């Protein structure tokens, strides 16, 4: 029997407390899903569909047959600058001054969109493995390319699937933001991991993976290259982390073989989420180390179904209340 009372768990590397409170919900199986109204979405007006390439800025990269011209149809995966970027390539004269108490910098960086498939209306769980692997190859290419730019110190790749997860276009796509600052959370986690490595002589992520393998209760999938598990202090029901067994801080170092394995594991998890959780909206977050040499870090692909809301408690405390025990989430996704 599992205890059912509330429990405070700490993610030591993230430096975050989570309240696991299963009594706030019935059994996990009752957790059925956000209901989606079928939303009209048409490939006729979609700027990301093939044939509409002129509606987007010129592509920065695409997987397409050798003789097909850029910015026309024929591509398998297409990367384009975001037409409405959060950060731009040039300093357009925004106020930038470093004075206290209001430090500010010009918003220089990059914001790209990766169109995951030419097929409107198909999500990752509907795509063949080769297509997801192709998307991951484009991620690797773009993250390596954007990381070369001088002021870039951090790159965040993410995917929002469904309006409740923050998507504004229904055509399956991902986004990459390259920025001149390191987010505080990432900086602190890298620093904690480094301290831990110095203190114990071991990579804390390698140690965590070892412990997850040994315990097995939060493990969802395991192969030669990746472990997929629900983190001990998961913030959300069914939150899943896919982490390379190889000690690798940055995604751009992933091998072709690793990308193929990652595509397989990600599809396995997403297919189960679709079947068992009623096709929920979700976010994918590719976590990696800040682009300064971080010896003690493993990048990871995190899949976060959107089944709960971030509300006042979370905004006030930076803590989360997870109504499904991570072990119960893993059990549901493992079977
Ligand atoms: Zn479309
Ligand atoms: Zn390691």
């Amino acid at each position: 029997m599992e205890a059912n009372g509330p429990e405070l768990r700490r993610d030591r590397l993230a430096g975050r407390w989570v309240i696991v409170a299963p009594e706030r919900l019935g059994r996990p199986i009752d957790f059925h899903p956000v209901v989606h109204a079928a939303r009209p979405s048409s490939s006729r007006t979609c700027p990301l569909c093939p044939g509409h390439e002129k509606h987007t800025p010129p592509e920065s990269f695409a997987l397409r047959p050798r003789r097909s011209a850029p910015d026309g149809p024929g591509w398998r995966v297409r990367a384009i600058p975001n037409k409405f970027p959060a950060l731009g390539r040039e300093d357009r004269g925004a106020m930038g001054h470093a004075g206290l108490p209001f430090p500010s910098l010009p918003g220089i960086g990059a914001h790209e969109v990766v169109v995951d498939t030419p097929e409107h209306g198909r999500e990752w769980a509907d795509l063949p493995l080769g297509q997801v692997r192709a998307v991951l190859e484009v991620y690797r290419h773009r993250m390596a390319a954007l990381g070369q730019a001088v002021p870039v110190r951090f790159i965040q790749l993410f995917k929002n699937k469904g309006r409740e997860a923050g998507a504004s276009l229904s055509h399956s796509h991902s986004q990459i933001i390259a920025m001149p600052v390191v987010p505080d959370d990432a900086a602190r986690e890298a620093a904690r991991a480094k301290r831990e490595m110095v203190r114990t002589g071991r990579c804390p992520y390698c140690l965590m993976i070892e412990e997850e393998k040994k315990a097995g209760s939060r493990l969802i999938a395991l192969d030669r290259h990746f472990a997929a598990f629900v983190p001990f202090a998961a913030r959300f029901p069914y939150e899943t982390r896919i982490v390379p067994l190889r000690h690798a801080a940055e995604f751009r170092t992933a091998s072709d073989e690793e990308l193929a394995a990652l595509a397989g594991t990600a599809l396995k998890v997403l297919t189960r989420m679709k079947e068992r959780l009623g096709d929920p909206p979700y976010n994918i977050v590719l976590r990696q180390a800040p682009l300064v040499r971080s010896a003690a870090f493993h990048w990871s692909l995190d899949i976060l179904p959107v089944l709960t809301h971030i509300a006042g408690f979370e905004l006030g405390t930076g803590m989360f209340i997870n109504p499904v025990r991570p072990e119960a989430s893993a059990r549901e996704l493992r079977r």
Side-chain angles (χ1 to χ4, degrees):
M1 272 293 281
E2 274 170 359
N4 218 26
E7 177 189 353
L8 279 151
R9 293 190 178 190
R10 184 157 174 81
D11 182 327
R12 288 176 62 230
L13 292 170
R16 178 173 57 220
W17 285 101
V18 169
I19 301 176
V20 179
E23 277 168 346
R24 287 174 61 80
L25 197 75
R27 296 173 300 133
I29 198 77
D30 293 339
F31 205 89
H32 274 293
V34 180
V35 178
H36 308 274
R39 275 185 297 282
S41 124
S42 162
S43 55
R44 273 181 315 166
T45 54
C46 172
L48 304 184
C49 266
H52 296 175
E53 289 79 3
K54 296 289 180 276
H55 295 291
T56 68
E59 67 199 36
S60 38
F61 182 74
L63 293 180
R64 51 165 71 249
R66 206 163 289 158
R67 271 192 296 278
S68 82
D71 300 315
W75 47 272
R76 283 180 74 199
V77 182
R78 185 167 183 256
I80 48 180
N82 194 311
K83 202 170 177 177
F84 307 96
L87 293 173
R89 279 195 187 281
E90 296 131 40
D91 180 357
R92 291 200 281 181
M95 201 164 61
H97 57 86
L100 291 173
F102 302 120
S104 147
L105 291 169
I108 302 174
H111 188 171
E112 288 199 354
V113 173
V114 175
V115 190
D116 300 336
T117 167
E119 292 181 83
H120 191 97
R122 293 189 86 188
E123 276 304 332
W124 275 32
D126 313 317
L127 297 176
L129 186 121
Q131 182 67 26
V132 174
R133 192 185 58 211
V135 173
L136 296 174
E137 281 168 21
V138 173
Y139 285 0
R140 180 176 62 185
H141 180 281
R142 296 317 299 153
M143 289 176 88
L146 294 171
Q148 298 300 314
V150 177
V152 170
R153 297 181 64 210
F154 193 81
I155 300 178
Q156 184 62 58
L157 184 148
F158 58 98
K159 174 175 170 63
N160 305 329
K161 183 256 182 187
R163 192 164 58 182
E164 300 85 345
S168 45
L169 290 173
S170 62
H171 193 126
S172 182
H173 67 284
S174 320
Q175 300 180 63
I176 308 175
I177 295 185
M179 52 184 149
V181 295
V182 178
D184 286 358
D185 282 0
R188 279 196 292 261
E189 177 162 342
R192 279 189 202 99
K194 191 173 167 186
R195 273 203 306 274
E196 197 84 343
M197 182 117 151
V198 170
R199 192 172 69 79
T200 65
R202 293 215 49 200
C203 163
Y205 299 90
C206 284
L207 186 66
M208 186 195 306
I209 294 166
E210 231 171 71
E211 292 300 320
E212 291 295 356
K213 276 157 68 174
K214 217 186 295 170
S217 56
R218 288 179 295 273
L219 205 58
I220 297 168
L222 179 69
D223 65 17
R224 281 178 52 222
H225 296 290
F226 291 94
F229 57 88
V230 178
F232 169 73
R235 294 157 290 173
F236 308 107
Y238 309 100
E239 175 176 344
T240 299
R241 173 160 294 177
I242 306 175
V243 63
L245 305 185
R246 182 170 70 87
H247 193 78
E250 288 178 44
F251 185 76
R252 66 182 171 83
T253 67
S255 68
D256 289 348
E257 199 183 315
E258 284 173 322
L259 293 191
L262 177 61
T265 304
L267 274 182
K268 191 184 284 181
V269 172
L270 286 169
T271 306
R272 290 178 191 173
M273 284 179 179
K274 185 174 179 176
E275 288 166 6
R276 293 164 201 184
L277 308 178
D279 197 14
Y282 60 78
N283 300 107
I284 290 181
V285 174
L286 186 64
R287 301 169 63 261
Q288 64 166 13
L291 303 183
V292 283
R293 286 183 59 81
S294 309
F297 209 96
H298 286 228
W299 62 265
S300 69
L301 188 88
D302 291 10
I303 304 175
L304 311 158
V306 177
L307 298 161
T308 51
H309 294 285
I310 290 174
F313 177 75
E314 290 78 6
L315 292 172
T317 58
M319 291 166 66
F320 293 82
I321 301 174
N322 185 346
V324 180
R325 281 172 58 82
E327 292 73 19
S329 286
R331 197 161 50 230
E332 181 75 10
L333 294 175
R334 189 165 54 225
R335 64 172 177 82

